[in-house]
């Protein structure tokens, strides 16, 4: 089958593109190589994909002519492209245009297709709000522009499914970590600070935050399980994560244990909209998709430290 991966030079998108290729699928990969974080990391990811036979095309979903890039021969779209995270430097328009408007432009294109791809929307636990501990059937209460716009994009895709315009599903991901994690995210930053003797910015109260830290390959297991389960997935939302909870303090201690050194902590004011707890309820994914994450926090972080050393400590 031919699959399209948007945001393919990013963290989870690149891993998913690789997995799909390894499963024998033809992968078309696109990314806008946004400067939200260091473009060199995206180029590094794209290079890794290129070595596996996947070329990442530079495409901006918000303004490029998508009909010249995306043809009717694709069977699946895995839509990762988004403005991620909670950032004081990102405007509402950044979140709206990248998360909602870009998704709408894809759907507008697909509406013109006779053969419509199965739309796999990649969403986030931030949709649930400050305490992401709910099932897929409970009302979300997003508390950030990121969560609000990702919820809007998710519902846009599902609206098309409800109207019978295409088939699709949405996966809400929980606190993903591992090799290629963005430099602004917890563990890449911790590892960088620990190895390079730099202060780590710890936001007030965040050391007590509980997270379902989920290793990236466990997340990819859930995402690709949609293939062959289209009838079960169509119109549905699934949480993907681990049921194991760890505090940020535990995460810091685990990285310190792996590195064999203490990390310098620099205390910062609390961030508005930051989640105090995430705990993935994955009963639905376990039952319908046989989803079963296995990687412990320490094992996953050992892989991430190895990746960081190999790529940034030469």
């Amino acid at each position: 089958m031919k699959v399209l991966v948007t945001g393919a030079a990013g963290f989870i998108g690149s891993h998913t593109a690789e997995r799909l290729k390894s499963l024998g699928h033809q992968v078309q990969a696109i990314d806008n190589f946004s400067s939200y974080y260091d473009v060199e990391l995206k180029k590094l990811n794209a290079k890794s994909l290129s070595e596996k036979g996947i070329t990442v095309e530079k495409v901006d979903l918000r303004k490029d002519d998508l009909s010249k890039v995306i043809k009717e021969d694709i069977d699946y779209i895995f839509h990762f492209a988004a403005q991620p995270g909670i950032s004081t430097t990102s405007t509402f328009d950044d979140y709206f245009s990248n998360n909602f408007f870009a998704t709408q432009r894809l759907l507008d294109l697909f509406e013109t297709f006779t053969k419509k791809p199965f739309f796999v929307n990649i969403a986030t636990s931030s949709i649930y709000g400050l305490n992401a501990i709910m099932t897929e059937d409970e009302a979300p209460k997003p508390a950030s522009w990121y969560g609000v716009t990702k919820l809007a994009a998710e519902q846009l895709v599902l609206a098309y499914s409800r109207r019978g315009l295409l088939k699709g599903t949405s996966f809400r991901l929980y606190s993903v970590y591992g090799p290629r994690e963005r430099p602004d995210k917890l563990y890449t930053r911790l590892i960088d600070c620990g190895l390079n003797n730099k202060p780590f910015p710890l936001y007030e109260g965040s050391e007590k935050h509980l997270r379902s830290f989920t290793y990236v390959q466990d997340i990819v297991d859930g995402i690709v399980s949609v293939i062959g389960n289209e009838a079960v997935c169509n119109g549905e939302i699934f949480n993907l994560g681990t049921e194991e909870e760890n505090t940020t303090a535990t995460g810091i201690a685990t990285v310190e244990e792996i590195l064999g050194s203490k990390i310098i902590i620099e205390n910062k004011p609390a961030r508005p909209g930051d989640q105090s707890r995430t705990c993935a309820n994955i009963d639905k994914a376990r039952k319908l998709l046989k989803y079963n994450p296995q990687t412990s926090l320490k094992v996953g972080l050992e892989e991430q430290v190895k990746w960081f050393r190999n790529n940034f400590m030469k």
Side-chain angles (χ1 to χ4, degrees):
M1 288 191 295
K2 183 174 181 180
V3 299
L4 171 67
V5 180
T6 72
F11 170 33
I12 312 170
S14 63
H15 283 287
T16 303
E18 282 186 347
R19 179 74 67 85
L20 290 165
K21 178 75 172 179
S22 74
L23 292 172
H25 302 297
Q26 183 182 350
V27 179
Q28 180 183 6
I30 62 176
D31 199 291
N32 72 348
F33 290 86
S34 164
S35 60
Y36 172 75
Y37 61 88
D38 190 355
V39 175
E40 291 305 311
L41 178 55
K42 288 194 171 189
K43 290 180 178 178
L44 181 65
N45 295 342
K47 182 175 182 290
S48 294
L49 292 182
S50 178
E51 291 168 353
K52 295 176 174 63
I54 303 169
T55 300
V56 183
E57 302 170 81
K58 186 175 182 179
V59 177
D60 192 323
L61 297 176
R62 300 167 299 173
K63 56 189 179 185
D64 289 345
D65 185 349
L66 302 183
S67 65
K68 292 182 177 179
V69 181
I70 303 170
K71 305 302 181 182
E72 256 187 87
D73 59 346
I74 61 169
D75 299 289
Y76 275 86
I77 174 172
F78 291 83
H79 182 39
F80 290 89
Q83 178 75 19
I86 299 172
S87 170
T88 55
T89 60
S90 298
T91 65
F92 178 77
D93 184 64
D94 290 331
Y95 288 105
F96 178 81
S97 63
N98 283 290
N99 298 347
F100 184 83
F101 182 62
T103 304
Q104 176 63 62
R105 291 197 76 221
L106 282 168
L107 291 165
D108 283 346
L109 176 66
F110 296 151
E111 198 166 357
T112 69
F113 286 4
T114 301
K115 174 192 171 185
K116 296 175 173 57
F118 192 97
F119 199 117
V120 182
N121 181 66
I122 305 302
T124 167
S125 66
S126 291
I127 281 172
Y128 289 119
L130 299 178
N131 289 286
I133 58 176
M134 294 176 276
T135 67
E136 297 88 342
D137 296 326
E138 295 181 75
K141 299 176 182 178
S144 64
W145 288 341
Y146 174 55
V148 167
T149 53
K150 288 295 284 182
L151 174 60
E154 174 184 86
Q155 287 302 309
L156 194 59
V157 174
L158 295 178
Y160 272 66
S161 172
R162 295 178 195 118
R163 293 162 58 196
L165 298 175
L166 53 67
K167 295 181 179 180
T169 192
S170 188
F171 290 121
R172 294 175 178 173
L173 311 187
Y174 279 73
S175 302
V176 190
Y177 73 96
R180 302 181 191 161
E181 185 184 59
R182 300 195 320 263
D184 60 306
K185 295 285 285 180
L186 174 63
Y187 287 115
T188 297
R189 184 174 283 191
L190 273 172
I191 294 164
D192 180 26
C193 291
L195 288 175
N196 294 301
N197 200 34
K198 297 190 292 189
F200 173 77
L202 185 66
Y203 297 99
E204 183 181 356
S206 65
E207 72 279 1
K208 297 178 182 178
H209 288 175
L210 283 163
R211 292 285 185 270
S212 285
F213 294 120
T214 312
Y215 188 57
V216 62
Q217 294 298 341
D218 285 336
I219 285 289
V220 174
D221 286 345
I223 292 170
V224 301
S225 70
V226 69
I227 298 176
N229 286 305
E230 295 84 1
V232 169
C233 291
N234 184 37
E236 297 292 336
I237 297 166
F238 294 91
N239 293 334
L240 294 182
T242 177
E243 294 156 315
E244 179 184 340
E245 290 182 274
N246 284 285
T247 63
T248 301
T250 298
I252 294 171
T254 304
V255 172
E256 289 178 332
E257 180 185 352
I258 294 168
L259 297 181
S261 62
K262 298 294 288 184
I263 294 171
I264 303 166
I265 300 297
E266 182 180 29
N267 294 306
K268 297 279 189 178
R271 292 189 301 183
D274 212 356
Q275 293 173 299
S276 59
R277 184 186 179 197
T278 71
C279 180
N281 183 316
I282 56 174
D283 291 348
K284 184 175 180 180
R286 279 192 186 280
K287 179 180 178 181
L288 298 181
L289 301 177
K290 305 296 186 276
Y291 177 60
N292 188 33
Q294 294 287 305
T295 310
S296 70
L297 181 62
K298 185 176 181 183
V299 168
L301 286 175
E302 286 172 341
E303 289 299 311
Q304 188 164 346
V305 169
K306 186 188 304 181
W307 163 79
F308 192 97
R309 288 185 187 275
N310 289 340
N311 287 282
F312 303 108
M313 300 299 292
K314 293 179 181 179

